[in-house]
Amino acid sequence: MIKLIDKISDMQHHSESLRKKGRIIGFVPTMGFLHEGHLSLIREAKKVSDVVIVSIFVNPTQFGPAEDYEQYPRDLTGDIEKVESTGGDIVFVPPVSEMYPTGYLTYVDVERITDTLCGSSRPGHFKGVATVVTKLFNIVKPHRAFFGQKDYQQTVVIRRMVRDLNMGVEIIVCPTVRELDGLAMSSRNSYLNPQERKAATVLYRSLKTAEEIIKAGERDTSVIYDKIQQIIIAEPLCSIDYINIVHPETLEDIKSITEKTVLALAVRIGSTRLIDNILVEP
C-alpha cells in the first residue's frame, strides 16, 4: 500500500528513520499530472533504491506573473495511482502554505548558467527551481534524485547547485521519453488542440535534421541554426522563443562544433510553450 505524506515534519522524520535503517532513498520530484516520462524516472529509481519517494508539488516560485501556474494541469488521484502501479513507495504532497509560509524570505540563486536558454525568457524561473529543489532535498533527504533530460538546463543547474553547496545527493539524468511521432512528453502537451499537437512534431523534427547535418560533417553552428529556424518557421502555428547550440556544461553558445554539443530550443505553438533538446556527438 502506497504511503501518502503531506506534512513536512512527517516526511523529514520518516526519511530520517529510513536512513537510520540503512535504506537507500531514491527521489523523483515532480509537479504532477504524471506521464510516461515521469514513470520512467520512478522505474529507474526503483532499480537502485530501497525506497522510492515521489513529490507532487506545483511550485509557484518558478512561474512568472503571466505564466500558467493557476492553469497548470493537476490530477492528484490519478497521479497517486500511477506512482503505486509503477512501484513508488511514498508520495509527498506538501501544501504551498507549508513550503512557503507567510514571511518566507530565503531563495537559492545559481548564477551565469541560468542567464541563457529558458533563463533568459523566464526571469526568476531557475531561482524558483533551485529553491524548491533545495527545500525538497532537505525534507526528503534522498541519496539519489532522478530528472529527465527534456529539462536539460534544469539538470545542469541542479547538478551545479548540488556540487557547489555540498548537498551529497547523486543526480541521475534519464533520457527524454517521446511519443511515437517524436514529441517529448510533457504535462503541457495537454494544452494542445489537434492541429497544434500535429504542429508540435516540428520541434524534434528540426533537431533531428540538425543532427543529420552535423553527422554529415557540418560544424558551423550558424548554418545549423539557420536550418532549424527554416524548418520551424515553415510551420504557421509556431513561433520561436529561442534556438541555441551550446556547451553541455557551461551552456555557452558555441560557433563551431568540436565535441559533444547540446541543441536546445523553445517554441510557442499557439499559446503553449514547449521545449526540447538533443545531445549530439560530432
Side-chain angles (χ1 to χ4, degrees), residues 16-34:
E16 286 166 1
S17 174
L18 290 170
R19 277 181 162 265
K20 286 177 181 177
K21 294 174 184 175
R23 310 294 295 279
I24 300 299
I25 300 173
F27 179 43
V28 181
T30 82
M31 292 207 300
F33 207 69
L34 304 183

Side-chain angles (χ1 to χ4, degrees), residues 213-225:
I213 294 169
I214 295 167
K215 296 290 187 183
E218 183 59 64
R219 296 292 177 263
D220 186 340
T221 57
S222 65
V223 174
I224 299 161
Y225 175 94

Side-chain angles (χ1 to χ4, degrees), residues 45-200:
K46 194 74 178 173
K47 292 176 184 176
V48 294
S49 312
D50 298 314
V51 178
V52 176
I53 301 173
V54 179
S55 65
I56 297 173
F57 180 68
V58 184
N59 175 38
T61 65
Q62 69 189 68
F63 288 80
E67 293 185 342
D68 58 341
Y69 173 69
E70 296 297 338
Q71 292 76 36
Y72 195 85
R74 294 162 169 86
D75 179 18
L76 182 57
T77 300
D79 288 344
I80 293 170
E81 291 174 357
K82 289 175 183 175
V83 173
E84 185 168 25
S85 67
T86 311
D89 301 292
I90 298 169
V91 176
F92 177 49
V93 284
V96 174
S97 59
E98 269 211 68
M99 291 292 280
Y100 300 107
T102 302
Y104 187 89
L105 295 174
T106 304
Y107 295 87
V108 179
D109 198 0
V110 181
E111 298 181 342
R112 288 173 55 186
I113 55 174
T114 59
D115 293 338
T116 185
L117 304 178
C118 288
S120 61
S121 57
R122 301 183 69 188
H125 169 68
F126 286 110
K127 182 178 179 181
V129 169
T131 299
V132 77
V133 172
T134 297
K135 288 177 68 68
L136 288 169
F137 284 176
N138 286 336
I139 295 164
V140 175
K141 308 179 190 300
H143 297 85
R144 302 183 178 104
F146 298 77
F147 296 86
Q149 185 189 307
K150 182 183 77 71
D151 299 295
Y152 187 85
Q153 186 175 16
Q154 174 176 276
T155 68
V156 174
V157 170
I158 290 170
R159 276 179 162 160
R160 169 57 68 175
M161 177 186 77
V162 166
R163 190 183 326 155
D164 288 353
L165 298 182
N166 310 106
M167 288 182 170
V169 180
E170 181 184 359
I171 303 302
I172 298 174
V173 178
C174 302
T176 300
V177 177
R178 300 183 180 277
E179 303 286 356
L180 291 177
D181 58 9
L183 179 64
M185 290 190 177
S186 168
S187 299
R188 288 189 170 97
N189 290 349
S190 64
Y191 296 159
L192 303 172
N193 65 36
Q195 293 76 25
E196 292 169 339
R197 173 63 183 78
K198 185 177 180 181

Side-chain angles (χ1 to χ4, degrees), residues 253-268:
D253 289 325
I254 57 176
K255 293 182 178 180
S256 180
I257 296 176
T258 58
E259 57 185 338
K260 185 181 289 187
T261 302
V262 180
L263 312 184
L265 48 74
V267 175
R268 289 194 180 276

